[in-house]
Amino acid sequence: MIPRARVLALIAGGLLLLRPLAAQQDAAERLLGEARRLERDGKLGEARTEYELLAQRFPDSKEAELAQLALAESYWRSGDAARAQGLVDALTDGRPDSPNAAAAWVLRGRFQAQRAANRQELSDARTPFRRVPVLFSSGEYPQLGARVEARVRAGELSLELGEPDRAALEFLEAIEDENRSPWLPRALYGLARSLLDRGDRDAGADLLERVLRQPETDDGLRREVTTDLAFLDRHWIRPALKQPRWTTARAVAGVELRKPEKMAVADDGRLLIWDEGLGQVLILTADQQVETRSPQTQVRDVWWSPDGRPFAAVADAVIALADGSRQALTATGTPLRDLAAGATGKLDERFVVDRDRKALYAFDRNGEAKTLQTAAGDVVDLAVGGHGELLLLDRKKNDVSRIGGLAAEPAKGFAGSWRRAHALAVDSAGSIYVLDTSENTIEIRDAAGANAGSIGPVLPGGIELKSPEDIGIDGAGRLYVIDSRLAQLLVLE
């Protein structure tokens, strides 16, 4: 029998050993909390210093692993890809059994997807996501948010690549094989989009309604779902009931226009308008209030990037309207001097048509140019479709053609019978709208190019188009028209 004094001495010694460990744990937690607070407050440099201190002082703690993940994201956002990748590798390779290594695999996939420059690279970005459920099974790691996130992100990439069946399977695994988590609404939303892409509108609409009923659904996703449901109402339910897509048209009050010539509409309803009479590019909020005015001259086109950045093209440069920076474009060693139209693609590539050279160019993130099409007839407008395909409206050839894209089998183009094709727009279902300024009408084609109706010259409510210049459609299916003779922005709802 061990004497009582000996037992007490052993317990006291154990407590003394535990005290420094507890103090270290407390210090690591406080450093992590402070770093996160600084990051929330926008003090990114100070936050990075705290994360680095934590990783150096307590390298074997779980807090240090969380600091490495935060640092990797911070370095990636600041453009230091090599350092970000090194931190991710240190977790996936150095601590492969840690739950935080699963989060590092997710980060690796996100980094690959963000820098992908073509379909193959975007497809390859799914591999790190798909690796997570294999390496971190639900049996061994029952509560692992990174595994659910990985499945949802893999499904979203499959949707981008035009593979709705594969995407549906990945979303189903996230819904049925995982514990309830904040990722559930996003998985349900992805499954809804997969079904809608396959043409199953009833099941897709039911799932969208289910997303709205989830307590974990955040405000941003609620807005997206509400927008999608409004679109389905206008462009599926109403036509199915033999009702018009738009029942009213109104002129937007409170926005002074003199000679509007170009317009672009974001999915969320924000607008860009180039008004030659004012010499300004206007940015309007979703409720049609003027947010900013940018004085410009000789604007040839305006557009939104897929991530919501506004751009304008002048004869010899592309202007980022958010900060006013200009980028001159050079192809085959010679500057482009006569830009006619532009767009930004899904992989952040920039498409422009040069009227003088009669050619279409694509510029990657580094500004490297690639000729996509030469000897174009008379391309007057561009648009980017849902899977990254580029749509070209050619007035001389009187057709809409499609180039590239992320889908394995992009849809074909189609010919028209327009007297003077002038502008086009594409909606979230792939339907295409062509403005004929000779007839003052807007023709609608479905994703396969089949005729789906037309509207104009008299709009619902009696407004008659006089000199329409451009059109656009938002995520909710509202149609926008600018008319230079009326000097108005018109909204069809």
Side-chain angles (χ1 to χ4, degrees):
M1 182 175 179
I2 302 174
R4 185 170 181 272
R6 178 79 179 276
V7 171
L8 292 174
L10 289 170
I11 292 173
L15 291 174
L16 287 173
L17 289 173
L18 288 173
R19 191 173 297 167
L21 293 176
Q24 288 182 15
Q25 178 69 25
D26 181 61
E29 289 176 355
R30 283 189 285 109
L31 280 173
L32 182 62
E34 177 64 10
R36 286 173 168 171
R37 183 191 68 78
L38 290 167
E39 194 168 30
R40 286 194 302 271
D41 292 344
K43 300 176 180 178
L44 303 183
E46 295 178 41
R48 189 182 293 175
T49 299
E50 294 297 305
Y51 283 131
E52 289 172 341
L53 178 62
L54 169 55
Q56 292 166 5
R57 290 285 303 277
F58 309 104
D60 297 324
S61 67
K62 66 177 182 180
E63 288 78 14
E65 294 177 3
L66 294 172
Q68 284 179 270
L69 291 170
L71 281 170
E73 288 223 51
S74 178
Y75 284 125
W76 182 265
R77 287 195 299 268
S78 66
D80 193 343
R83 199 162 184 179
Q85 192 64 56
L87 287 162
V88 168
D89 293 345
L91 282 172
T92 57
D93 301 339
R95 301 192 178 184
D97 297 326
S98 168
N100 291 315
W105 281 113
V106 171
L107 267 187
R108 179 177 286 184
R110 286 174 52 197
F111 293 167
Q112 285 185 228
Q114 289 171 22
R115 66 171 176 248
N118 52 53
R119 174 186 168 81
Q120 185 58 55
E121 290 180 4
L122 196 64
S123 178
D124 292 344
R126 289 182 293 189
T127 299
F129 296 137
R130 290 175 174 168
R131 191 168 288 167
V132 173
V134 176
L135 297 177
F136 302 87
S137 67
S138 57
E140 190 175 359
Y141 301 85
Q143 300 287 341
L144 187 64
R147 185 176 56 247
V148 191
E149 180 181 356
R151 282 177 156 154
V152 172
R153 289 190 182 277
E156 290 172 342
L157 287 184
S158 294
L159 275 179
E160 289 290 318
L161 291 163
E163 301 173 2
D165 291 343
R166 177 174 289 190
L169 178 60
E170 287 158 335
F171 290 126
L172 276 171
E173 288 173 341
I175 295 166
E176 296 180 351
D177 298 347
E178 299 289 348
N179 295 314
R180 191 179 187 99
S181 77
W183 285 92
L184 174 63
R186 197 155 152 182
L188 290 169
Y189 181 60
L191 183 56
R193 289 179 54 205
S194 302
L195 294 171
L196 292 171
D197 275 8
R198 295 176 58 196
D200 193 345
R201 291 167 175 162
D202 288 307
D206 288 344
L207 273 173
L208 290 175
E209 294 282 3
R210 185 177 166 189
V211 175
L212 293 177
R213 295 194 296 270
Q214 304 306 308
E216 299 93 343
T217 303
D218 60 37
D219 291 342
L221 185 53
R222 287 184 187 279
R223 286 192 293 271
E224 284 191 62
V225 171
T226 302
T227 296
D228 290 344
L229 287 170
F231 180 88
L232 287 174
D233 175 59
R234 285 191 175 95
H235 295 271
W236 171 48
I237 296 175
R238 291 185 189 180
L241 297 175
K242 308 299 182 184
Q243 295 180 359
R245 288 179 170 84
W246 307 283
T247 57
T248 62
R250 61 181 174 87
V252 174
V255 178
E256 178 199 2
L257 298 175
R258 293 181 185 173
K259 192 180 178 184
E261 293 205 340
K262 285 290 182 179
M263 176 180 62
V265 184
D267 281 346
D268 61 6
R270 291 177 299 148
L271 292 102
L272 285 173
I273 299 176
W274 157 242
D275 190 302
E276 186 181 29
L278 295 172
Q280 297 175 341
V281 175
L282 288 72
I283 299 181
L284 275 60
T285 62
D287 55 356
Q288 292 103 49
Q289 301 296 311
V290 177
E291 184 176 284
T292 63
R293 298 175 181 269
S294 174
Q296 301 291 341
T297 57
Q298 297 182 334
V299 170
R300 303 292 183 83
D301 200 5
V302 294
W303 67 89
W304 297 97
S305 67
D307 60 359
R309 291 169 293 154
F311 291 92
V314 293
D316 59 353
V318 171
I319 301 170
L321 294 169
D323 59 13
S325 60
R326 297 168 64 94
Q327 180 186 11
L329 302 176
T330 299
T332 62
T334 307
L336 303 184
R337 300 291 190 189
D338 196 11
L339 302 183
T344 300
K346 292 277 188 177
L347 300 178
D348 207 30
E349 65 271 55
R350 190 161 294 163
F351 301 108
V352 294
V353 171
D354 185 87
R355 184 180 289 119
D356 179 53
R357 299 189 189 185
K358 293 188 178 297
L360 168 70
Y361 298 97
F363 292 82
D364 64 19
R365 293 185 181 93
N366 299 319
E368 295 296 322
K370 176 183 177 182
T371 304
L372 295 183
Q373 180 174 300
T374 57
D378 185 15
V379 175
V380 293
D381 206 0
L382 305 178
V384 177
H387 296 301
E389 69 275 19
L390 187 64
L391 296 98
L392 311 175
L393 177 62
D394 193 309
R395 179 182 292 162
K396 184 176 181 179
K397 296 178 181 178
N398 223 26
D399 67 11
V400 172
S401 58
R402 288 181 172 93
I403 295 178
L406 301 173
E409 298 181 4
K412 298 178 180 179
F414 58 87
S417 56
W418 316 292
R419 293 185 62 182
R420 186 173 176 78
H422 189 68
L424 88 162
V426 60
D427 67 26
S428 58
S431 295
I432 297 167
Y433 305 75
V434 177
L435 171 64
D436 185 337
T437 55
S438 177
E439 302 293 327
N440 289 346
T441 57
I442 301 162
E443 183 178 298
I444 308 167
R445 298 289 189 101
D446 66 18
N451 197 302
S454 66
I455 191 166
V458 180
L459 306 179
I463 298 176
E464 184 176 359
L465 296 174
K466 298 296 185 182
S467 184
E469 298 290 346
D470 209 349
I471 57 175
I473 191 158
D474 67 14
R478 287 180 287 257
L479 181 64
Y480 299 76
V481 186
I482 50 172
D483 190 301
S484 60
R485 186 171 165 190
L486 295 175
Q488 287 179 333
L489 166 64
L490 308 172
V491 184
L492 283 71
E493 299 175 307

